[in-house]
Amino acid sequence: MRHFLTTRGLPQVDFEALLDRGEAFRQGAESHALAGLHVGLVFFNPSLRTRVSMEVAVSKLGGTPVTLSVGGDAWAMEYENGVVMDGAAAEHVREGAGVLGRYCDLLGVRSFPAGKDYAADRREPVLTAFAEHSGVPVVNLESPLDHPCQAMADAMTIRERLGAVKGRKVLLTWAYHPKALPMAVPNSFLLGASRLGVELVLARPEGYDLDPDIVETARRNAAASGGSLAVTGEAETAYDGASVVYAKSWGALADYGHPEAEAARRSKLKDWRVTEARMARGRDAVFMHCLPVRRNVVVDDAVLDGPRSVVLDEAENRLHAQQAILEWMSHVD
């Protein structure tokens, strides 16, 4: 059974094959890998790109998507073991995932962190429970620690825009946002981009380090691919010579579970914004963001609406990358 929960542990040959297959789908390749199959898409949190791109990807592969919003058109669900279920949750994941696995041939699950206890969130209890109890392959549609579908689309976009990527500078920069956001996207971008042989730079303010195990894995990826990974606290000079600027906000790991302290920390960091002047320090740099993005907060209109922006291409590549992922998952070793 092939799950797709993270790019960590994915052999490099499979990583590159998925990128190549995603590119083939972008150029019009067809596949009926999911003909006659049903794919359940379970959302514990809102979605625009992930939901629509997954539903279309399943349909393009000949399958039937079945989408559920937990707590909306499906029962609220409990996922901890041994609890007395006298609260809001009417269904336990053991039965919920088990039933969906009897109806569907594959499942996709999207679940954000609770944001209170980092050790608990990084165990990814919802995603892990579905993989354990459903009995069918599971694809991660974003979890507390990881967003591997986004990572594959991002890597596709970098290769598409740069062509020869080896040795090019790719900047992942923290950006201001009025609230603390999950770390799944920046984690996954580091994990994916570090496999491309690029000079990867992570720029973040004090307190906004990413998970140390994720960073260490990215360092190993970079070394294995002939690239590098550097971390800096410089908001301006980090742009120098960059071919790609990827902006994303995330919550301060140093203040995890303490929203008032985190809000006070980030309130002083509004200058961490992507501007035309900063982009001009790069090497004909393109601008990337996973979307949705707050205009003139994360990035200026001039960048987002200008020729440097590839955010719509990046979003489109979610569809093509996910076709490749679903096709790969449907194959049984």
Side-chain angles (χ1 to χ4, degrees), residues 25-185:
F25 280 123
R26 191 181 72 83
Q27 295 183 12
E30 296 183 359
S31 169
H32 301 285
L34 299 183
L37 303 184
H38 292 79
V39 179
L41 304 173
V42 185
F43 289 87
F44 286 81
N45 302 96
S47 172
L48 187 153
R49 278 148 295 277
T50 298
R51 176 171 178 166
V52 176
S53 62
M54 283 298 295
E55 289 180 348
V56 174
V58 171
S59 296
K60 281 182 172 288
L61 294 175
T64 301
V66 181
T67 303
L68 291 172
S69 297
V70 176
D73 49 21
W75 298 111
M77 201 172 294
E78 175 61 61
Y79 49 87
E80 296 289 350
N81 291 322
V83 298
V84 176
M85 290 178 55
D86 57 359
E91 181 112 55
H92 198 281
V93 70
R94 284 176 172 266
E95 291 76 50
V99 167
L100 289 173
R102 299 291 181 98
Y103 297 154
C104 299
D105 302 283
L106 293 89
L107 291 176
V109 179
R110 181 183 183 92
S111 174
F112 291 172
K116 297 177 181 179
D117 181 340
Y118 185 65
D121 281 339
R122 86 180 306 280
R123 290 196 295 269
E124 306 198 308
V126 178
L127 180 69
T128 301
F130 270 84
E132 180 180 357
H133 299 299
S134 67
V136 298
V138 173
V139 55
N140 182 359
L141 305 182
E142 189 173 359
S143 62
L145 210 60
D146 225 319
H147 197 348
C149 292
Q150 183 68 53
M152 299 304 294
D154 292 340
M156 269 188 67
T157 306
I158 292 172
R159 294 207 316 180
E160 176 187 332
R161 300 301 298 198
L162 298 189
V165 300
K166 296 282 188 180
R168 303 291 286 274
K169 181 176 177 179
V170 173
L171 170 63
L172 168 60
T173 179
W174 186 89
Y176 174 75
H177 192 283
K179 62 181 181 179
L181 297 180
M183 303 178 199
V185 169

Side-chain angles (χ1 to χ4, degrees), residues 142-329:
E142 189 173 359
S143 62
L145 210 60
D146 225 319
H147 197 348
C149 292
Q150 183 68 53
M152 299 304 294
D154 292 340
M156 269 188 67
T157 306
I158 292 172
R159 294 207 316 180
E160 176 187 332
R161 300 301 298 198
L162 298 189
V165 300
K166 296 282 188 180
R168 303 291 286 274
K169 181 176 177 179
V170 173
L171 170 63
L172 168 60
T173 179
W174 186 89
Y176 174 75
H177 192 283
K179 62 181 181 179
L181 297 180
M183 303 178 199
V185 169
N187 283 345
S188 295
F189 183 79
L190 273 189
L191 292 169
S194 60
R195 288 174 174 257
L196 299 176
V198 300
E199 294 181 6
L200 186 57
V201 175
L202 167 61
R204 82 292 175 264
E206 183 179 353
Y208 287 88
D209 289 307
L210 292 173
D211 185 283
D213 289 343
I214 295 287
V215 174
E216 181 55 34
T217 300
R219 287 192 191 281
R220 291 197 298 269
N221 287 349
S225 67
S228 61
L229 171 60
V231 181
T232 180
E234 296 295 326
E236 291 278 350
T237 57
Y239 287 76
D240 291 348
S243 296
V244 173
V245 173
Y246 195 108
K248 189 69 179 79
S249 186
W250 60 89
L253 190 57
D255 299 319
Y256 204 92
H258 302 283
E260 291 183 0
E262 206 283 337
R265 184 190 296 269
R266 75 173 39 243
S267 69
K268 304 170 186 176
L269 299 169
K270 294 183 179 181
D271 61 322
W272 281 73
R273 190 180 79 254
V274 182
T275 65
E276 265 293 303
R278 286 175 172 173
M279 291 293 296
R281 300 178 72 123
R283 178 183 168 191
D284 296 322
V286 296
F287 173 75
M288 296 177 64
H289 190 283
C290 63
L291 303 180
V293 64
R294 303 239 181 172
R295 286 173 172 265
N296 304 308
V297 174
V298 171
V299 54
D300 287 356
D301 282 342
V303 176
L304 195 57
D305 296 330
R308 300 180 187 278
S309 177
V310 296
V311 297
L312 295 184
D313 294 334
E314 181 184 356
E316 178 189 335
N317 282 338
R318 288 291 304 277
L319 170 61
H320 308 311
Q322 286 160 188
Q323 284 181 264
I325 291 164
L326 289 167
E327 183 185 61
W328 178 82
M329 290 176 65

